[in-house]
Amino acid sequence: MPSLFRYRRPLRERVRWASWFIVANSLIALLIGFRYLPWMTVTDTTTGLYIALAMIAQFSLLAWLFGLPLLLLTLILPQSLLRPTAIVIGTAGVSLLLLDTVVYHQFRFHLSGFVLELIVGGGTEIFSFSWQTWAVGGIAIVALALLQWSLARRFWILTPRRYLWVPLTLLVSSQLLAHGWNAWADAHYDHRITRVARHLPLYHAATAKRFFARHGWVDPQAVREAAVVEQMSAPGGQGALNYPTAALQCTTPEQLPNILVIAVDSLRWDMLDPRWMPNTTHFAASAQVFTDHYSNGNATKPGIFTLFYGLPASYWDAFSAHQVPPVLIQRMQSLGYQSQILSSATLVSPAFDRNVFSSIKELRLKTPGDTSWERDQQITQDWLDFLDGRSSLDNTSPFFGFLFYDAPHSYQVPPDYPRIEPYWESVNQLALDNEFDPEPYFNVYKTTVRFVDDQIHRVLSDLSKRQLMDDTLVIITSDHGQEFNDNGMNYWGHGSNFSRYQLQVPLVIHWPGKAAGIVEHRTEHFDLAPTLLTDALGCAQSATESYSSGEHLYTPHNKKWSIAHSYMNAAFLTEELQLVSYPSGGMEMLSTQLQPIDDAPLPMELIKRALREQSRFYP
């Protein structure tokens, strides 16, 4: 038999051998994948069929992705090294998948380079695996290595010459069907299907709601309204979410305030200045101003999510898949608040229609208007019309309003609006580099901020004219900041780092009955929901941990860590450092000025608390 291995095989046969070896490992991966099934809710035959299809698609793909280096190495490695290489790659791949099931069982998130670093660097300080678990893991790895040796040898001796097209066809067709099915389910708010994706490692299910709408295949507004009605009338819980972890203890206040949240996309904290926002700054003089307030996201998706839920944006997929609204909005609805949600940007992408506002009936997903400034003017007018309608009907129920302005995000103002000079008329992000003078670009941004300030003034003046200020809690803030190379590291815009320029935002609160003043201690978006629920909506402050990661806005606290997310990245933050994880699996430790730190010890106890915070709402 050894003569078989000394025989020099043609390249085509070696590639065929490696391909069948990968196919065999895709079956092993699928078997290991069965360990994720306990976390998936199979409500009917349709869901079961989709789960089966998605698992075949994903675990086949993972096997081929992990086996790709082996295919490439068959072109360059000596034949004698192919089998040992295959055994190492195969054992490593299935072992990592097995480890992922263990991590997912404990924390409900998947393995990444960040988590691997913590396992290696933190050991039992982070992941409390018993010696029995380590022993079983070691035995499993040895068994997997023996299995890989057997497979590599078997296929080398007898490599099938035909039918390789069958598993390849299955791989491609299952991918197309699974992702197409998820895209259709997402467009129809079918959470039975969409909630599966987060349980599968590296599974990024396709969505195409805008594409379907553009071709007239789906009417998002009509589909969503029907889905909300069905959701409100359907029995059942929240599936794989334990939110809140305990029933709220609330009493109905004698006086319920109106609540109006005004959010300005990309608004930096230092724009609260009479030069750029004269109206809002004047309003802030008679309100509470939080001078050290931070969003828990450097992008819109995590920024708005954390503002209303008071939870890390790592929960986005779970809350979206199950379409569970924030406790804050659930509480207002139970108290009879009339809601008016007006956003200049679409509520479909990011899909706030599926989480934050999932329980709001007659939610307008898209505001008419070709430009952001037109839509900003439109939502302002729509808000004034909403209050007119309440007055004409003599509506005495409290209202909850959300106005989301977009001009600073898109750098657009009306053609005749006064510019702050020097002004960059044709914004071209491709021209930005470390040598670019930021002033003209920054002035475009400041001009858009001043334009939105005018819209906010219309809203606030109208509240005063209607004598509603004494009955209305007004909150002015942003989803995230905006950077103009402030760090001198060629960062522009947002979503690229977790420095103060992309995280620190203004927070102004006019709270009837609370004295105006300056709040100097550090606060964050996590803190808003628990503060509103306890101080305005009658819920016990002792229960805030059951639904939020935040503290009370007005009470200084000793919390020494925080969590912030981007669309893809995430960061664990302390006063001294940032521990940033990347979608590639890498991890980087930085100072608050974004300088690399090589020798600082990891704050294991704080990291452990942060990890727990991102998993404790899973049962």
Side-chain angles (χ1 to χ4, degrees):
M1 197 63 68
S3 61
L4 288 174
F5 304 113
R6 289 196 297 267
Y7 169 67
R8 178 67 181 175
R9 291 196 167 191
L11 177 60
R12 182 177 179 182
E13 289 188 17
R14 282 181 281 152
V15 171
R16 187 186 299 119
W17 163 79
S19 298
W20 279 110
F21 180 77
I22 294 170
V23 170
N25 273 285
S26 69
L27 296 176
I28 297 173
L30 181 59
L31 291 174
I32 295 175
F34 288 158
R35 288 173 53 85
Y36 298 103
L37 286 177
W39 313 114
M40 302 181 194
T41 304
V42 182
T43 56
D44 49 36
T45 303
T46 300
T47 308
L49 289 173
Y50 175 76
I51 289 174
L53 180 64
M55 289 185 66
I56 292 171
Q58 186 61 9
F59 291 112
S60 297
L61 180 64
L62 290 178
W64 281 98
L65 288 176
F66 214 86
L68 183 60
L70 178 61
L71 284 173
L72 297 176
L73 290 172
T74 57
L75 306 177
I76 57 175
L77 279 182
Q79 183 170 291
S80 60
L81 296 180
L82 285 181
R83 274 206 311 155
T85 302
I87 293 169
V88 170
I89 290 177
T91 303
V94 294
S95 297
L96 284 174
L97 182 59
L98 189 61
L99 179 59
D100 184 80
T101 66
V102 177
V103 172
Y104 195 78
H105 175 80
Q106 187 167 344
F107 287 102
R108 301 302 186 279
F109 52 72
H110 292 290
L111 200 60
S112 65
F114 174 72
V115 175
L116 279 174
E117 177 73 18
L118 294 180
I119 292 175
V120 174
T124 56
E125 292 185 59
I126 299 293
F127 296 91
S128 54
F129 299 146
S130 65
W131 70 266
Q132 292 96 334
T133 301
W134 287 109
V136 171
I139 294 171
I141 291 174
V142 172
L144 289 171
L146 291 173
L147 178 59
Q148 296 298 318
W149 175 84
S150 177
L151 289 173
R153 182 176 184 274
R154 173 66 60 182
F155 284 116
W156 190 271
I157 295 172
L158 184 61
T159 305
R161 294 181 174 274
R162 302 170 61 187
Y163 305 116
L164 185 59
W165 62 270
V166 175
L168 292 176
T169 301
L170 181 63
L171 170 67
V172 174
S173 59
S174 61
Q175 286 288 323
L176 293 174
L177 288 172
H179 286 279
W181 193 342
N182 187 88
W184 188 255
D186 176 71
H188 287 79
Y189 297 85
D190 188 351
H191 66 274
R192 299 173 306 161
I193 304 302
T194 57
R195 67 188 176 191
V196 172
R198 73 179 187 87
H199 299 294
L200 298 177
L202 298 177
Y203 187 54
H204 302 287
T207 59
K209 192 181 297 182
R210 288 187 175 184
F211 175 81
F212 293 146
R214 187 165 60 248
H215 288 79
W217 300 340
V218 171
D219 182 346
Q221 196 76 49
V223 169
R224 185 193 180 277
E225 290 175 7
V228 170
V229 172
E230 181 180 353
Q231 178 185 353
M232 299 296 287
S233 61
Q238 298 170 357
L241 279 173
N242 184 23
Y243 171 81
T245 56
L248 298 186
Q249 302 298 319
C250 304
T251 57
T252 303
E254 293 183 5
Q255 185 72 28
L256 286 171
N258 303 312
I259 298 176
L260 173 61
V261 178
I262 301 174
V264 183
D265 201 329
S266 309
L267 185 64
R268 292 162 55 118
W269 87 98
D270 54 358
M271 291 298 99
L272 190 63
D273 184 302
R275 293 172 297 173
W276 324 127
M277 300 188 77
N279 300 299
T280 305
T281 305
H282 177 74
F283 174 74
S286 59
Q288 297 100 40
V289 180
F290 295 75
T291 58
D292 197 23
H293 184 80
Y294 289 77
S295 172
N296 293 98
N298 64 9
T300 297
K301 173 181 167 180
I304 297 298
F305 183 91
T306 56
L307 182 69
F308 282 97
Y309 283 97
L311 294 174
S314 54
Y315 287 105
W316 172 278
D317 288 340
F319 280 85
S320 299
H322 294 275
Q323 298 175 34
V324 178
V327 163
L328 174 62
I329 289 183
Q330 293 182 49
R331 176 62 178 160
M332 285 191 288
Q333 289 180 316
S334 71
L335 291 171
Y337 274 75
Q338 183 183 8
S339 300
Q340 180 71 343
I341 311 301
L342 298 168
S343 175
S344 179
T346 176
L347 294 176
V348 172
S349 179
F352 297 119
D353 60 322
R354 293 186 55 203
N355 45 57
V356 176
F357 305 121
S358 60
S359 61
I360 303 293
K361 295 182 179 180
E362 299 178 359
L363 178 70
R364 186 173 72 189
L365 302 180
K366 184 177 181 181
T367 296
D370 295 329
T371 62
S372 60
W373 63 264
E374 289 176 308
R375 295 190 295 271
D376 285 353
Q377 290 179 329
Q378 183 65 55
I379 65 172
T380 304
Q381 187 59 51
D382 292 340
W383 175 256
L384 303 182
D385 294 341
F386 165 72
L387 292 185
D388 278 340
R390 282 176 54 88
S391 299
S392 63
L393 296 174
D394 196 23
N395 191 337
T396 58
S397 62
F399 62 73
F400 161 58
F402 177 64
L403 296 174
F404 191 21
Y405 291 101
D406 191 50
H409 178 264
S410 58
Y411 303 101
Q412 294 179 339
V413 292
D416 58 348
Y417 193 80
R419 269 61 168 161
I420 298 172
E421 299 292 346
Y423 189 87
W424 195 15
E425 283 293 347
S426 299
V427 173
N428 175 18
Q429 279 86 355
L430 295 178
L432 301 174
D433 57 35
N434 220 28
E435 306 303 320
F436 187 87
D437 179 9
E439 185 181 10
Y441 189 23
F442 204 0
N443 284 343
V444 175
Y445 171 77
K446 290 173 181 176
T447 301
T448 63
V449 168
R450 186 178 287 177
F451 168 76
V452 169
D453 181 66
D454 292 341
Q455 306 307 308
I456 294 174
H457 178 62
R458 293 176 61 195
V459 172
L460 299 178
S461 296
D462 184 70
L463 287 175
S464 296
K465 291 176 183 178
R466 298 178 191 274
Q467 298 183 342
L468 288 174
M469 265 309 177
D470 291 340
D471 305 314
T472 303
L473 199 161
V474 180
I475 301 160
I476 303 175
T477 188
S478 178
D479 50 352
H480 55 79
Q482 193 80 339
E483 186 170 358
F484 293 88
N485 200 23
D486 300 87
N487 287 295
M489 300 174 69
N490 202 27
Y491 286 116
W492 304 84
H494 59 272
S496 54
N497 66 57
F498 296 94
S499 69
R500 70 179 301 194
Y501 299 103
Q502 298 192 30
L503 288 181
Q504 189 172 0
V505 297
L507 178 63
V508 176
I509 300 182
H510 164 76
W511 197 310
K514 290 185 185 289
I518 303 297
V519 179
E520 296 181 339
H521 62 263
R522 181 169 176 135
T523 57
E524 55 187 350
H525 273 8
F526 284 163
D527 304 333
L528 181 64
T531 304
L532 291 176
L533 281 158
T534 56
D535 288 16
L537 302 177
C539 297
Q541 185 170 342
S542 59
T544 57
E545 188 176 333
S546 69
Y547 59 82
S548 173
S549 303
E551 307 286 343
H552 196 279
L553 273 171
Y554 293 93
T555 304
H557 53 78
N558 295 319
K559 187 177 176 182
K560 298 179 180 179
W561 59 272
S562 188
I563 303 168
H565 281 78
S566 183
Y567 279 102
M568 300 296 290
N569 303 351
F572 166 76
L573 308 172
T574 71
E575 294 178 353
E576 295 83 21
L577 61 83
Q578 303 178 0
L579 198 59
V580 184
S581 62
Y582 298 97
S584 61
M587 184 179 73
E588 190 174 21
M589 189 182 299
L590 304 172
S591 70
T592 54
Q593 288 76 40
L594 305 184
Q595 298 301 317
I597 301 176
D598 297 324
D599 55 356
L602 293 174
M604 291 301 178
E605 184 56 36
L606 296 182
I607 291 175
K608 185 175 181 178
R609 291 172 59 187
L611 291 175
R612 287 292 181 191
E613 197 60 36
Q614 296 183 85
S615 62
R616 68 185 180 91
F617 291 96
Y618 300 129

